[in-house]
């Protein structure tokens, strides 16, 4: 705070202390208390939420393997301009480090990283290491590692070393940071000239999955809105005693874990499940309908689980709408339908907006439900993030896909902000 | 009784019950004249608001019928009744500007744009809010919101406007200003108004006629003056204005005059308004300003000794609480003037009144 001059600082008390400073002193204790109350949660969130997210996002651009395992090669490869083949000295360094790394049993880490770019790279690298070791035994270290025609030696070991592609992969994997994972998360790759190109169609999957994630989320949100609006309206117009009971029923599913509820749907919806049995018994259909392990099952289970998140914000807004507004609209000559559309509906928008945003963003990150009740063609982006974390242990790609999902959520949030305005959301 | 052409609204034997056991409105027969400002006044739960809501169409009529301009309203939904209504909490649409609120009834009537604009301008000018047309209701003060609500109920020129305690949420000063304003609007526009309130001051200020409700029944319908000066029963006398009640028994009855023996001593002459007969109980009603302290000998045949219990100075008058005939809550208003008697608590004075001001009503 700037020094308060007698003229600018407002009234001065008799003891010469400006009023503003006295106010600040009087309010200081309150501020300290407020900060003190928030601090534990703030620290908790920073440690368990914000910092892990940042660390995870960093993973999507980190590229430490080659730098760590083959540091001199990485430096040499970075110096190579990418034209033709790497210079002989760089290949010499590379050969030497492959041999050392193999002996130190660290080669696997680099091999795994290079294998992300081209499958088969791993075995090729180990084969190269073994053959180089053997050659050293036979010809001596200097003859092998200081050889003038290293490329020929490499091609002799494996003829794939004659393709420029493999050398540029090593070069692209050499810097400590790379955009490669992020490119792969949107089905793009570097070619041998380090230009960004779409990857081959049989490998391209993430963009389609992202699109599918958005479509499933949008459909779930729409279904929740269509089913939830009448419920919220009923809850909002019933007397509090009755609406409290119904809200309890609405919240009942929250007493059970998500996993249990999803599994329950699996039991209900499967071919020999309760719903098919009953329908066949009553002759609604003859053959069991495929209700699960497909998109239908995904929608049913997700709508069921997310419905309360749509209803509650809408309910709290509808509860606050003055019932006299509809009477006033009627007395002013509007029939019930037009009174509803012109007077009631616009006032529910803050709640509808909150519900839609909540359900849509929750849907975008859904993983367990589609994984259990959906088919292979219904898996959403989160499934692939989990897949890369748990199965392929490709954390870089998992992080890049997470970043993609996060960006998606932010884009939708920004669009929403433009259209509705977050300030208009009310959850009460 | 007003002629057939003059009555805009007719209540015809209207009953209303919510639970099938008790009647909230009992056998209501009432007419509202064209251009009249009629106030339904009564304590809460007296059926006045229910009557208004039946007229507006928000409550069903259990029995009987309501006619508007000679046409039965029984099967007409509220939005086809063409009745304006001002609600206690204004019920302005918060998501619309003042202008849009006023346009709402006009658009519902599919009026052409230029005509809508003209009518809104005129209505806003009437309530002196022309410069606020683009504001939202939340940006207006309570009084301004109230005026918007009134303008909205009048903008489509309905023949009848209903007001349900519209000034209840305003502070006292604003309420009084709004009373005059509503009265003037009513006089200029010439619209028929049915107004509900439990505030007698409000009713007396604005109304052409007041219908006093109690327990679902109309006790008396009359002009404010008649209601105050000539109440027909004890409830009306007690409810409108200040009133001294003396219970007694009728001793003799002679046309318009009667003799009543007051409980606690003394017999007085009174105006027989609503007495059952000789020997029956009656309530004598005396307005505080009709009672004189130390009255002149002639014209005041009935005199009583009164002990001064309490003096409350109120500027323009002094309220004197005296003990008369064992009633210690007898109030006398003494206007401030040079020849007013000088009173002290504990003194005993003579009080008296003109028999014409002493009304013998139902017990």
């Amino acid at each position: 705070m700037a020094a308060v001059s007698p003229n600018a600082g407002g009234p001065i008390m008799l003891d010469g202390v400006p009023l503003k400073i006295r106010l600040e002193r009087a309010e200081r204790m309150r501020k300290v208390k407020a900060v003190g109350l928030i601090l534990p949660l703030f620290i908790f969130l920073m440690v368990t939420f914000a910092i892990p997210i940042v660390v995870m996002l960093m993973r999507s651009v980190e590229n430490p393997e080659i730098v760590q395992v083959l540091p001199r090669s990485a430096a040499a490869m970075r110096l190579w301009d990418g034209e033709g083949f790497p210079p002989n000295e760089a290949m010499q360094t590379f050969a030497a480090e492959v041999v050392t790394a193999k002996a130190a049993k660290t080669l696997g880490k680099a091999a795994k990283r290079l294998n992300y770019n081209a499958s088969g790279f791993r075995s090729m690298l180990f084969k190269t290491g073994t053959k180089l070791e053997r050659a050293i035994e036979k010809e001596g270290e200097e003859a092998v590692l200081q050889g003038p025609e290293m490329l020929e030696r490499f091609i002799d070991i494996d003829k794939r070393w004659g393709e420029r592609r493999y050398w540029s992969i090593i070069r692209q994997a050499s810097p400590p940071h790379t955009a490669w994972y992020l490119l792969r998360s949107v089905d793009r790759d570097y070619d041998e000239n380090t230009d960004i190109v779409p990857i081959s169609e049989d490998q391209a999957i993430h963009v389609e999955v992202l699109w599918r994630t958005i479509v499933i989320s949008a459909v779930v949100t729409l279904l929740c809105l269509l089913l939830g609006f009448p419920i919220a309206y009923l809850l909002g117009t019933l007397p509090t005693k009755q609406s409290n009971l119904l809200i309890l029923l609405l919240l009942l599913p929250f007493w059970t874990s998500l996993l249990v509820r999803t599994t329950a749907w699996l039991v209900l919806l499967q071919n020999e499940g309760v719903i098919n049995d009953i329908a066949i018994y009553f002759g609604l259909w003859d053959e069991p309908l495929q209700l699960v392990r497909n998109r239908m099952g995904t929608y049913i289970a997700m709508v069921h689980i997310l419905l309360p998140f749509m209803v509650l914000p809408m309910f709290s807004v509808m509860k606050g709408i003055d019932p006299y507004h509809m009477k006033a609209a009627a007395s002013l000559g509007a029939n019930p339908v037009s009174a509803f559309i012109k007077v009631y509906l616009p006032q529910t928008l803050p709640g509808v907006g909150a519900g839609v945003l909540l359900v849509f963003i929750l849907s975008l990150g859904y993983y367990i439900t589609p994984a259990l009740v959906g088919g292979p063609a219904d898996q959403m982006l989160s499934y692939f993030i989990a897949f890369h974390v748990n199965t392929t242990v490709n954390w870089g790609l998992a992080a890049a896909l997470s970043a993609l999902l996060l960006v998606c959520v932010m884009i939708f949030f920004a669009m929403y902000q433009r259209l509705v305005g977050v300030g208009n959301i009310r959850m009460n | 009784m007003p002629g057939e052409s003059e009555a805009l609204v007719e209540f015809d034997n209207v009953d209303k019950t919510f639970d099938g056991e008790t009647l909230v409105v009992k056998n209501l027969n009432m007419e509202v004249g064209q251009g009249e400002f009629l106030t339904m006044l009564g304590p809460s739960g007296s059926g006045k608001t229910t009557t208004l809501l039946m007229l507006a169409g928000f409550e069903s009529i259990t029995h009987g019928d309501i006619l508007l301009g000679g046409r039965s309203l029984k099967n007409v939904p509220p939005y086809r009744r063409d009745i304006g209504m001002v609600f206690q909490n204004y019920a302005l649409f918060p998501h619309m500007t003042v202008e849009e609120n006023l346009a709402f009834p006009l658009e519902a009537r599919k009026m052409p744009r230029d005509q809508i604009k003209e009518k809104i301008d005129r209505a806003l000018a009437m309530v002196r809010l022309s410069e606020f047309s683009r504001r939202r209701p939340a940006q207006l003060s309570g009084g301004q919101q109230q005026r918007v609500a009134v303008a909205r109920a009048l903008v489509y020129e309905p023949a009848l406007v209903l007001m349900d305690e519209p000034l209840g949420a305003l502070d006292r000063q604003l309420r009084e200003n709004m009373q005059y304003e509503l009265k003037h609007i009513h006089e200029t526009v010439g619209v028929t108004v049915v107004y509900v309130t439990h505030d007698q001051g409000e009713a007396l200020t604005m109304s052409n006629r007041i219908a006093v409700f109690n327990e679902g029944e109309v006790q008396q319908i009359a002009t404010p003056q008649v209601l105050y000066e000539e109440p027909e029963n004890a409830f009306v006398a007690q409810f409108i204005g200040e009133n001294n009640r003396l219970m007694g028994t009728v001793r003799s009855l002679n046309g318009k005059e009667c003799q009543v023996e007051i409980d606690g001593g003394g017999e007085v002459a009174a105006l027989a308004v609503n007495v059952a007969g000789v020997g029956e109980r009656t309530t004598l009603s005396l307005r505080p300003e009709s009672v004189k302290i130390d009255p002149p000998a002639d014209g005041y045949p009935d005199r009583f000794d009164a002990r001064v219990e309490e003096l409350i100075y109120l500027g323009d008058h002094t309220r004197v609480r005296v003990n008369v005939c064992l009633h210690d809550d007898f109030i006398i208003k003494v206007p401030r003037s040079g020849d007013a008697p000088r009173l002290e608590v504990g003194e005993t004075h003579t009080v008296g009144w003109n028999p014409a001001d002493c009304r013998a009503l139902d017990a």
Side-chain angles (χ1 to χ4, degrees):
Chain A
M1 198 180 142
V4 182
S5 76
N7 295 328
I12 308 285
M13 305 298 283
L14 277 181
D15 58 5
V17 181
L19 194 54
K20 273 193 176 174
I21 290 182
R22 290 175 71 98
L23 174 72
E24 202 167 292
R25 277 186 203 155
E27 300 284 312
R28 187 173 299 150
M29 202 55 218
R30 263 170 35 127
K31 277 184 192 160
V32 168
K33 270 187 200 161
V35 171
L37 289 171
I38 294 170
L39 205 60
L41 178 64
F42 181 75
I43 293 171
F44 175 79
L45 282 181
M46 285 307 287
V47 171
T48 61
F49 190 71
I51 294 171
I53 286 179
V54 173
V55 170
M56 194 63 201
L57 288 179
M58 296 286 288
R59 285 250 183 186
S60 65
V61 290
E62 274 169 7
N63 192 27
E65 293 91 345
I66 305 299
V67 179
Q68 280 171 11
V69 179
L70 311 168
R72 286 185 298 116
S73 315
M77 285 297 178
R78 287 206 296 275
L79 289 175
W80 170 37
D81 60 3
E83 293 292 321
F85 284 90
N88 202 49
E89 300 83 64
M91 289 195 184
Q92 287 171 350
T93 318
F94 178 65
E97 277 193 321
V98 166
V99 173
T100 354
K102 187 164 181 299
K105 301 207 185 309
T106 54
L107 188 60
K109 194 173 170 189
K112 186 178 158 216
R113 165 66 184 88
L114 293 172
N115 207 50
Y116 290 156
N117 286 57
S119 49
F121 212 136
R122 184 188 169 82
S123 56
M124 181 171 123
L125 201 61
F126 274 101
K127 180 177 158 196
T128 306
T130 316
K131 291 242 172 120
L132 283 173
E133 273 172 359
R134 271 192 220 142
I136 290 169
E137 277 171 31
K138 230 185 271 170
E139 303 168 32
E141 192 172 299
E142 200 163 321
V144 177
L145 297 181
Q146 304 290 326
E149 298 290 344
M150 284 307 286
L151 183 59
E152 252 83 287
R153 187 176 282 279
F154 275 112
I155 293 171
D156 280 345
I157 291 170
D158 193 312
K159 65 174 187 314
R160 280 178 288 181
W161 283 118
E163 291 174 42
R164 267 187 66 212
R165 181 161 90 93
Y166 289 92
W167 293 105
S168 41
I169 285 172
I170 298 174
R171 176 169 172 267
Q172 286 155 16
S174 291
H177 293 96
T178 178
W180 182 76
Y181 292 113
L182 291 171
L183 287 175
R184 282 305 291 257
S185 78
V186 288
D187 293 339
R188 296 291 184 278
D189 199 354
Y190 291 121
D191 68 359
E192 52 204 27
N193 298 318
T194 323
D195 291 327
I196 296 169
V197 290
I199 60 172
S200 61
E201 274 190 29
D202 54 320
Q203 283 187 303
I205 174 161
H206 296 139
V207 171
E208 192 199 326
V209 169
L210 177 67
W211 183 237
R212 179 197 298 163
T213 305
I214 292 170
V215 167
I216 290 179
S217 301
V219 171
V220 167
T221 308
L222 188 71
L223 290 175
C224 279
L225 182 62
L226 291 178
L227 292 173
F229 194 92
I231 301 171
Y233 179 78
L234 181 72
L235 289 174
T237 45
L238 274 181
T240 310
K241 212 174 160 189
Q242 293 168 45
S243 68
N244 279 350
L245 183 73
L246 289 179
I247 286 170
L248 199 69
L249 293 177
L250 190 72
L251 294 179
L252 213 57
F254 282 127
W255 299 2
T256 329
S257 91
L258 177 78
L259 197 61
V260 172
R261 275 179 283 158
T262 307
T263 321
W265 276 114
L266 201 60
V267 174
L268 289 173
L269 294 173
Q270 59 187 288
N271 282 1
E272 294 79 33
V274 181
I275 289 172
N276 266 320
D277 283 356
I278 291 174
I280 291 169
Y281 179 81
F282 285 109
L284 292 178
W285 51 78
D286 303 324
E287 290 290 304
L289 275 188
Q290 181 72 27
L291 293 171
V292 83
R293 299 252 173 260
N294 60 9
R295 194 60 66 89
M296 171 83 104
T298 311
Y299 287 149
I300 292 174
M302 282 183 72
V303 165
H304 168 246
I305 288 161
L306 289 167
L307 197 57
F309 294 101
M310 181 65 90
V311 174
L312 288 178
M314 287 200 292
F315 158 71
S316 71
V317 168
M318 288 179 184
K319 191 91 194 158
I321 296 176
D322 187 346
Y324 277 100
H325 287 161
M326 289 297 274
K327 286 186 179 171
S331 85
L332 294 170
N335 63 49
V337 175
S338 97
F340 181 81
I341 291 171
K342 284 185 183 160
V343 175
Y344 196 83
L345 207 55
Q347 294 192 62
T348 65
L349 284 185
V352 171
V356 164
L357 186 69
L358 204 58
V359 169
F360 187 76
I361 286 177
L362 284 175
S363 300
L364 283 180
Y366 251 56
Y367 160 55
I368 291 183
T369 306
L372 285 179
V373 297
D378 309 312
Q379 298 312 321
M380 296 167 72
L381 203 55
S382 311
Y383 173 86
F384 289 87
I385 296 173
F387 175 74
H388 286 302
V389 170
N390 298 327
T391 311
T392 67
V393 201
N394 186 348
W395 281 51
L397 190 51
L401 288 173
S402 306
L404 179 69
L405 194 56
L406 188 66
V407 167
C408 248
V409 168
M410 282 172 167
I411 288 172
F412 280 110
F413 192 75
M415 274 165 56
Y416 185 86
Q417 166 77 1
R418 286 292 291 274
L419 290 174
V420 184
V422 174
N424 284 334
I425 289 185
R426 271 191 284 156
M427 306 249 193
N428 292 30
Chain B
M1 206 172 118
E4 196 79 343
S5 59
E6 286 176 39
L8 179 67
V9 182
E10 290 166 67
F11 289 86
D12 181 13
N13 293 313
V14 173
D15 286 334
K16 172 70 185 177
T17 175
F18 287 109
D19 54 8
E21 287 169 12
T22 48
L23 285 174
V24 182
V25 175
K26 291 175 204 158
N27 193 25
L28 175 68
N29 285 289
M30 186 168 78
E31 291 188 356
V32 185
Q34 189 86 50
E36 191 178 21
F37 195 122
L38 180 109
T39 298
M40 299 197 279
L41 177 67
S44 54
S46 61
K48 56 190 194 306
T49 298
T50 309
T51 305
L52 191 79
L53 292 179
M54 283 193 286
L55 180 53
F58 298 126
E59 290 291 353
S60 63
I61 305 162
T62 309
H63 177 258
D65 202 354
I66 301 175
L67 306 179
L68 175 66
R71 201 166 56 108
S72 167
L73 286 180
K74 229 174 171 179
N75 295 314
V76 184
Y79 57 92
R80 294 230 183 84
R81 293 195 179 187
D82 218 19
I83 296 175
M85 183 144 179
V86 180
F87 295 86
Q88 179 169 15
N89 56 1
Y90 320 139
L92 296 176
F93 305 138
H95 58 292
M96 298 183 188
T97 61
V98 167
E99 209 168 34
E100 287 162 347
N101 263 287
L102 261 62
F104 186 85
L106 303 174
E107 279 163 4
R109 286 167 177 75
K110 310 235 178 323
M111 210 168 266
R113 284 246 148 249
D114 48 336
Q115 221 172 321
I116 289 179
K117 178 94 184 65
E118 194 189 310
K119 279 184 189 279
I120 291 174
D121 288 347
R122 214 185 313 146
L124 282 179
M126 178 182 72
V127 294
R128 297 179 284 114
L129 283 174
S130 301
E131 65 272 38
F132 294 96
S133 61
R134 302 209 185 272
R135 297 257 189 112
R136 296 271 169 126
Q139 297 167 304
L140 300 176
S141 71
Q144 289 168 336
Q145 291 185 28
Q146 181 57 62
R147 301 216 294 267
V148 174
V150 170
R152 188 178 67 175
L154 289 169
V155 69
Y156 53 101
E157 291 160 22
L160 175 65
V161 172
L162 312 181
M163 301 191 185
D164 183 10
E165 307 214 13
L167 308 182
L170 303 179
D171 62 56
R172 212 175 77 97
Q173 184 132 30
L174 203 50
R175 197 158 64 218
E176 280 169 13
N177 291 340
M178 280 303 295
Q179 287 170 13
Y180 296 123
E181 200 157 325
L182 284 179
K183 192 176 160 80
H184 293 150
I185 288 172
H186 169 248
E187 280 160 8
T188 3
V189 179
V191 66
T192 308
V193 177
V194 175
Y195 192 98
V196 162
T197 183
H198 61 261
D199 178 339
Q200 48 156 312
E202 209 167 287
L204 294 173
T205 306
M206 292 188 289
S207 319
N208 297 125
R209 285 195 303 157
I210 299 172
V212 180
F213 274 69
N214 189 38
E215 292 181 343
E217 284 174 302
V218 175
Q219 304 293 320
Q220 187 174 357
I221 304 187
T223 63
Q225 191 180 356
V226 168
L227 218 49
Y228 185 81
E229 293 175 7
E230 298 163 29
E232 274 171 11
N233 60 37
F235 177 81
V236 175
Q238 191 68 22
F239 195 75
I240 307 276
E242 237 185 325
N243 183 46
N244 290 308
R245 286 198 308 173
L246 294 172
M247 306 302 289
T249 312
V250 182
R251 285 292 165 229
S252 70
L253 190 58
N254 178 20
K256 280 268 138 201
E257 284 164 30
C258 63
Q259 288 289 320
V260 176
E261 186 188 336
I262 300 171
D263 304 349
E267 206 173 271
V268 295
L271 192 66
V273 179
N274 191 356
V275 290
V278 176
E280 298 291 335
R281 302 284 296 159
T282 183
T283 308
L284 293 179
S285 158
L286 273 162
R287 293 295 182 197
E289 66 275 16
S290 324
V291 182
K292 296 279 179 287
I293 293 178
D294 299 332
D298 52 328
Y300 296 89
D302 301 311
R303 290 160 171 273
F304 292 93
D305 282 345
R307 208 179 102 91
V308 178
E309 301 281 351
E310 192 177 6
L311 292 165
I312 300 163
Y313 179 72
L314 287 168
D316 59 338
H317 71 274
T318 303
R319 280 164 59 91
V320 183
R321 186 163 67 82
V322 296
N323 190 330
V324 171
C325 304
L326 304 177
H327 291 78
D328 69 348
D329 56 352
F330 199 95
I331 303 290
I332 304 169
K333 277 187 190 172
V334 182
R336 193 189 69 82
S337 69
D339 56 350
R342 295 196 57 80
L343 303 168
E344 295 288 341
V345 173
E347 286 176 354
T348 303
H349 286 262
T350 313
V351 297
W353 51 81
N354 189 331
D357 290 329
C358 181
R359 297 172 68 81
L361 306 171
D362 57 319

